[in-house]
Amino acid sequence: MAVADAAARYHRMQLALGALGLVLGVAYLVGVLCAGAAAWLTRALVEWPWWIQLAAVASVGGVAYRALGAPLAWARGWWLPRRYGVLHQPLSAWLVDRAKAAALSALLALGGLELIYALLRATPRWWWLAAAAAFSIVHLVLAVVLPVWIVPLFYRLTPLADDGLRARLLALATRAGVPAVGVWVADQSRKSRTANAAVLGLGRTRRILLFDTMLAFAPREVEAVLAHELGHHVHRDMWRGLAAQAALTLIGFAVAHLTLTAGVAWWRLDGVADPAGAPWLALVLGAVGLFTLPLANGYSRRIERRADDFALRVTGDPDGFVGAMERLAALNLAERRPHRLEELVLYSHPAIDRRIARARQHPVLTT
C-alpha cells in the first residue's frame, strides 16, 4: 500500500505541475500577442527577408519561454523524480540531456515553422493541405532514423551480451514474423531505475532495444514485454499511428487556416503570412492538440490492448506477462488505479491493473 500511495502522490504532483505548465504556456503566448512583442521584433527587422524575421520571432520567443518555464521543468523533470527515487541522474547530466533535446526540438520546430510560412506565402488557400502532407513525410522519416541517429544522442547502445537471451528474443521476433537486425541495450541505469523495451525503426533499421534495467527481469518476462512490442509491428500499428497522426495534423492545420484570417484583424497583422502571427499559430495548434488529446489517447489504448493480447497469444505465458507488468509498475512508479477520467483523457496505455486483470482472464489460461 505504501508504494501505491507514493505512486498516487507522485502522479498527482506531476499532473499539477503539468497543468501549471499548460497555464503558463497559454499565458505566455497570449501575453506576447497582447503586448505586440512579436510585431515589434518583426518591424525592427523590416529590412531583412521574411524568413529571418520569422527565425528571430521563433528563436527569441522560444528562448524566453524556456527561461520562464525553467524552474517548472526542473521541478517536474528532475527534482520530483529524484525525490521519489525514480531518477538518480546528476543535475549536470540531466541538463546536458535537456539541452540536446531542446536543440533537436528547436531545430525541427523552426524548420517546420519556416515551411508553414513559405507555404502561406506561396499558396494562402491550400497551404494547410501541403503542410499536413509535408509533416506526415517528416514523421515517417523520423520513425526510420530514430534508432540510428536520435536514440544514440541520449544513450550508449551496446549489443546484448547474454547470448542465450539474445537468441530467445530473436527467435521470438522471427516466430512473430518481425525480423530484427539485432538486440541492443541502452544504459538507462546511468540515469534512472525505469525499465522499458521497444522495437524501433522500419525495414533495415528495425532493431530490438532493451533498457539495461530490464536485464534483471526473468527471461520469460522480457519475452512478454518484447512480444507486446512485436505485436505493434505485426498489426502495423506504426503505420496506423502515422496515419492517425497525419489526420490530427490535417485537422490542426485546417483549424489554423480558418483562424489565421481572424487573427489578422485581432492582432493587427500584415496578412496571414506575417511572421508576427507565429505566436497565434502556436496557440491555435496547441489548443487543437489539447482538444484532440483524449481521442488520440483513446485510440492508443485500443492498440495497446491489442498488443497485450498478441503477447499473450504468441508467448502462451500469462504469468510471465503479469510478472513483467508487476516489475514495470514498481520500477516506473506507475499509478496502478488512476481515476477513470484521468485515464480516459491522459493515458496512452491502459492502467497497469487493467492490463493485469485482462491477462488473468485471457483464454490461454483455460487452454
Side-chain angles (χ1 to χ4, degrees), residues 86 188 192-197 210-215 217 225 324 327-333:
V86 177
Q188 174 70 356
S192 169
R193 76 183 196 192
T194 57
N196 206 349
L210 304 177
F211 280 1
D212 60 355
T213 46
M214 282 196 68
L215 298 182
F217 287 28
V225 177
R327 283 181 177 267
L328 290 172
L331 289 174
N332 299 345
L333 200 61

Side-chain angles (χ1 to χ4, degrees), residues 169-235:
L169 298 183
L170 290 175
L172 176 63
T174 301
R175 191 163 75 247
V178 188
V181 298
V183 184
W184 298 80
V185 177
D187 59 339
Q188 174 70 356
S189 61
R190 182 169 53 89
K191 306 178 182 184
S192 169
R193 76 183 196 192
T194 57
N196 206 349
V199 181
L200 301 176
L202 293 171
R204 294 182 178 180
T205 68
R206 184 186 291 129
R207 60 196 62 193
I208 297 168
L209 180 68
L210 304 177
F211 280 1
D212 60 355
T213 46
M214 282 196 68
L215 298 182
F217 287 28
R220 65 192 296 201
E221 295 170 345
V222 179
E223 284 185 314
V225 177
L226 177 61
H228 169 97
E229 298 300 328
L230 291 170
H232 287 309
H233 285 257
V234 170
H235 298 139

Side-chain angles (χ1 to χ4, degrees), residues 73-86:
W74 166 81
R76 191 180 187 196
W78 189 79
W79 172 77
L80 187 60
R82 290 268 298 195
R83 179 181 177 184
Y84 280 83
V86 177

